Amino acid sequence: MKTQKSILSLALIAGLSISLIACGEKKQDDHAAGSEEHDHEAMSETMENMDQKMTMTGIASKTELINEYLEIKKALSANNKEDAAKAATKLAENAKTISFDKVSADNKTTVNEILEVIQEHSEHIAKSEMDHQIEHFQAMGKDFEDLLAIVGSDRKLYEQYCPMYNNNEGGMWLSDSEEIVNPLFAGKMQTCGSVKKVIEVG
């Protein structure tokens, strides 16, 4: 009888030990899983905060302005007024917020005036039909060229000109390629034009 009690006690102790070990391992697993989940949540919140901060404090760059101008050109060349409007919306906002702090005081006023005109053209492109989009894009090309003459370009650009635009009055645009892809005829007459001037990086 005494032997049976001893065996039973040993069995209970062994079972209890196994349960405690299993419980401990489960807690460690739970903790590890919880930590991983917590880390992902924290990372997601951090990235979200960074995005908000960039949106709230972001200042447009010259590169963004040129990219958006060229996006409008590309969209008009493809007869895509929706994409032209999207790029123009970004350009209007960036023309309003960009600051060229390194230009001289004499040029500061001129640069700001040009940026205001670019913003106005962009706002018209953002909400107009194709014909009106092209009209403002054509006019904006000269303003962009005047701006880059003061602040410099971050890439090689080509001033291109088509003599047949607007009943043969002619029209110009800027391109990052020497190849002629005319944006002034809503996808038609794309090869009409020639390079009139090269704007070097500077």
Side-chain angles (χ1 to χ4, degrees):
M1 186 67 178
K2 188 174 181 180
T3 302
Q4 288 179 342
K5 283 184 177 179
S6 297
I7 292 172
L8 183 60
S9 297
L10 287 171
L12 287 172
I13 291 170
L16 181 60
S17 298
I18 291 171
S19 298
L20 287 172
I21 291 170
C23 183
E25 289 177 347
K26 185 176 186 306
K27 283 183 176 179
Q28 287 180 350
D29 291 343
D30 290 346
H31 178 71
S35 298
E36 187 176 354
E37 184 177 350
H38 179 72
D39 289 345
H40 287 168
E41 289 176 356
M43 186 182 299
S44 177
E45 289 174 0
T46 301
M47 292 178 69
E48 185 176 346
N49 291 338
M50 287 175 65
D51 288 343
Q52 289 177 351
K53 188 176 181 180
M54 289 176 69
T55 301
M56 293 172 64
T57 63
I59 297 175
S61 68
K62 177 170 60 181
T63 296
E64 287 175 293
L65 293 187
I66 296 173
N67 285 344
E68 287 149 5
Y69 173 88
L70 294 174
E71 281 297 314
I72 297 172
K73 172 193 172 290
K74 180 181 177 183
L76 294 178
S77 301
N79 194 25
N80 188 332
K81 72 173 186 178
E82 288 80 14
D83 283 356
K86 289 177 184 175
T89 299
K90 293 180 183 176
L91 179 56
E93 183 62 29
N94 287 332
K96 184 168 58 178
T97 61
I98 195 170
S99 177
F100 291 100
D101 295 330
K102 294 183 179 179
V103 300
S104 67
D106 291 340
N107 285 328
K108 191 83 173 179
T109 300
T110 302
V111 166
N112 288 337
E113 288 175 351
I114 294 172
L115 287 171
E116 286 183 13
V117 175
I118 289 175
Q119 182 187 340
E120 288 181 14
H121 283 309
S122 300
E123 289 172 348
H124 278 274
I125 294 170
K127 61 185 179 184
S128 300
E129 295 300 316
M130 177 65 73
D131 288 349
H132 204 50
Q133 286 181 321
I134 291 174
E135 181 182 339
H136 280 277
F137 175 76
Q138 194 283 139
M140 185 166 65
K142 185 65 172 66
D143 298 309
F144 244 91
E145 187 171 336
D146 291 343
L147 176 67
L148 297 179
I150 298 173
V151 304
S153 178
D154 68 346
R155 72 199 78 179
K156 193 172 185 177
L157 293 171
Y158 301 87
E159 178 193 328
Q160 299 176 336
Y161 177 82
C162 172
M164 298 181 69
Y165 173 70
N166 195 21
N167 296 321
N168 298 323
E169 290 190 6
M172 62 82 68
W173 66 94
L174 301 179
S175 174
D176 59 349
S177 170
E178 193 170 1
E179 179 186 5
I180 300 296
V181 183
N182 191 322
L184 305 182
F185 290 97
K188 302 175 183 176
M189 299 177 62
Q190 290 195 331
T191 58
C192 177
S194 60
V195 174
K196 291 296 182 184
K197 180 180 176 181
V198 177
I199 301 172
E200 300 288 351
V201 177

